[in-house]
Amino acid sequence: MKIAIGADHAGFEYKKAITEFLQEKGYEIMDFGTDSNEAVDYPDHAVLVAKAVNMEKADLGILICGTGIGMSIAANKVKGIRAALITSSFTAESSKTHNHANVITFGSRVNTIAEVLSFIEIFMKTKESNETRHQQRVDKIGKYEVENE
Ligand code: RB5
C-alpha cells in the first residue's frame, strides 16, 4: 500500500514521525514535503498529496498542518478526494466506516504525536462500511462534485 504524505511548517516534525512509523510497518511512503520549519503555504502541499490519490499513484493521503483544517479544506478541492480531519479515536474510525475517507488530516497544535499515531493505527485497521446508507451518501458526494463542474 502506497501512502502520500505532506505537511506545512507546522506539521513537518509530525510528518517525519508518521513516515518512520508507517515505514516500520512496511508501507511505501511518497513524501511531498515540506521538510523544515520555514513557512510555506499549506495548499501547495495539500494539492500534491490529493492529486497523487486522485491519480491513483497513492492509496491514501496524509496531511498535517497546525490545525488540520487548512489541509482538509484544500485537499477537498481536488476531484475525487474525501479528506477528513481526524482529532479523536471516534473520528478516526467513523471517517473510514461512514465517509470512506481517502485523505486524512491532522493538527500538530491539536493532538500529540502519540495520539496522531494511534488515530492512524485505528484508521488503517478499520474497514469501510458497505452498508447501503453509507455507500449511498459517499456516492452522492461524487455526484454533486460532477454536477458543480
Ligand atoms: C500555519 O501557521 C497554520 O495556519 C497552518 O498550519 C494551519 O493550521 C492552517 O490550517
Side-chain angles (χ1 to χ4, degrees), residues 43-94:
D44 296 337
H45 297 275
V47 80
L48 294 175
V49 167
K51 277 187 175 173
V53 173
N54 170 254
M55 292 164 76
E56 296 181 359
K57 290 182 177 163
D59 305 293
L60 173 70
I62 297 181
L63 289 164
I64 315 101
C65 62
T67 58
I69 296 171
M71 285 300 198
S72 62
I73 292 172
N76 276 315
K77 291 287 183 185
V78 176
K79 194 174 160 106
I81 296 305
R82 293 180 300 279
L85 168 58
I86 292 176
T87 56
S88 64
S89 302
F90 175 66
T91 53
E93 190 183 337
S94 55

Side-chain angles (χ1 to χ4, degrees), residues 72-128:
S72 62
I73 292 172
N76 276 315
K77 291 287 183 185
V78 176
K79 194 174 160 106
I81 296 305
R82 293 180 300 279
L85 168 58
I86 292 176
T87 56
S88 64
S89 302
F90 175 66
T91 53
E93 190 183 337
S94 55
S95 64
K96 186 71 155 293
T97 51
H98 289 211
N99 312 116
H100 302 183
N102 53 12
V103 172
I104 50 177
T105 75
F106 299 96
S108 64
R109 297 170 185 158
V110 179
N111 291 110
T112 65
I113 186 62
E115 287 170 337
V116 168
L117 296 180
S118 76
F119 301 157
I120 290 173
E121 220 161 16
I122 291 168
F123 183 87
M124 301 307 266
K125 73 167 193 234
T126 302
K127 300 259 175 290
E128 293 180 354

Side-chain angles (χ1 to χ4, degrees), residues 2-57:
K2 281 192 195 164
I3 300 177
I5 193 164
D8 72 355
H9 51 288
F12 93 97
E13 293 282 9
Y14 275 37
K15 178 169 72 65
K16 251 198 302 192
I18 293 168
T19 297
E20 283 167 18
F21 176 76
L22 291 172
Q23 279 174 336
E24 266 171 33
K25 293 186 179 297
Y27 294 105
E28 192 180 326
I29 303 295
M30 299 164 70
D31 190 335
F32 290 96
T34 191
D35 294 307
S36 78
N37 55 13
E38 189 181 325
V40 293
D41 296 331
Y42 58 81
D44 296 337
H45 297 275
V47 80
L48 294 175
V49 167
K51 277 187 175 173
V53 173
N54 170 254
M55 292 164 76
E56 296 181 359
K57 290 182 177 163

